[in-house]
Amino acid sequence: MDRDCISTMREIRGRMRKKPFDAFNVHLIRYAVIICAGAVERAYKSIIADYVTQNASAEIDRYVNTVVRNSKNNPRLQNINALLKQFNEKWNDDFNREIKVRASYNMDVQNLASLVEARNDVAHGKSVTCSLEDIIRYYLSARQLVSKLEVVLV
């Protein structure tokens, strides 16, 4: 989840620092939103799908790839919870217990919601009001939440 997203954010940050008043920076921020939100979406789906398809038949693997990996869902906490519940209520309960013990739980949840909101703003042609540093902070918080899936599903 990290390597490509983080290196892309570094490249964008470097370009924006070299030309802080470039009109193109607004497009770089929009791109950063899409990259970060997409990375979070792919990560949560992959963690769940990988776990479910361990030792699964080809039919189950194909089904999970179609319904989970290739679905189009924003990485909202509610969507992560709903997907976990579809497989196992206990997974969802365990995940929520893991994320709620974090001191930064409320901020992490808000940051994830802000990342999704920014993504939707880009998708619907609205202005993005957050900075690149905001986007990176949103992404890092979301990454912390998603990483708890690995704790629960391993």
Side-chain angles (χ1 to χ4, degrees):
M1 177 164 131
D2 276 341
R3 198 171 323 129
D4 292 338
C5 187
I6 295 296
S7 78
T8 300
M9 293 308 105
R10 284 187 184 129
E11 289 176 35
I12 292 171
R13 182 188 282 147
R15 177 178 163 79
M16 290 176 71
R17 284 185 177 158
K18 286 179 187 172
K19 298 181 178 183
F21 302 110
D22 190 335
F24 191 71
N25 287 349
V26 69
H27 301 294
L28 291 174
I29 289 173
R30 293 170 144 246
Y31 179 66
V33 167
I34 298 301
I35 293 298
C36 289
V40 173
E41 180 181 348
R42 280 188 311 280
Y44 94 81
K45 290 177 181 178
S46 291
I47 292 167
I48 294 170
D50 288 351
Y51 184 75
V52 170
T53 57
Q54 289 175 0
N55 305 315
S57 67
E59 295 82 6
I60 298 296
D61 191 52
R62 186 172 39 254
Y63 175 80
V64 169
N65 281 328
T66 301
V67 174
V68 177
R69 280 188 218 276
N70 299 328
S71 67
K72 304 296 183 234
N73 277 337
N74 276 318
R76 295 185 188 280
L77 185 57
Q78 300 89 325
N79 290 343
I80 297 169
N81 289 144
L83 182 58
L84 287 168
K85 285 180 190 176
Q86 287 175 1
F87 288 106
N88 188 320
E89 291 273 347
K90 185 179 180 320
W91 296 353
N92 184 58
D93 294 343
D94 292 348
F95 173 66
N96 284 309
R97 192 170 23 263
E98 282 290 326
I99 64 174
K100 286 180 181 175
V101 298
R102 289 180 44 80
S104 60
Y105 167 75
N106 290 328
M107 184 58 67
D108 291 342
V109 170
Q110 180 57 49
N111 285 340
L112 175 59
S114 295
L115 181 61
V116 171
E117 181 180 343
R119 180 189 201 182
N120 288 339
D121 287 347
V122 169
H124 296 285
K126 295 180 182 176
S127 295
V128 176
T129 59
C130 50
S131 70
L132 180 63
E133 297 310 314
D134 291 334
I135 296 162
I136 293 168
R137 187 178 69 253
Y138 299 161
Y139 169 74
L140 294 174
S141 281
R143 181 178 74 172
Q144 291 301 315
L145 292 175
V146 171
S147 72
K148 296 302 180 182
L149 286 169
E150 293 176 312
V151 171
V152 170
L153 298 178
V154 172

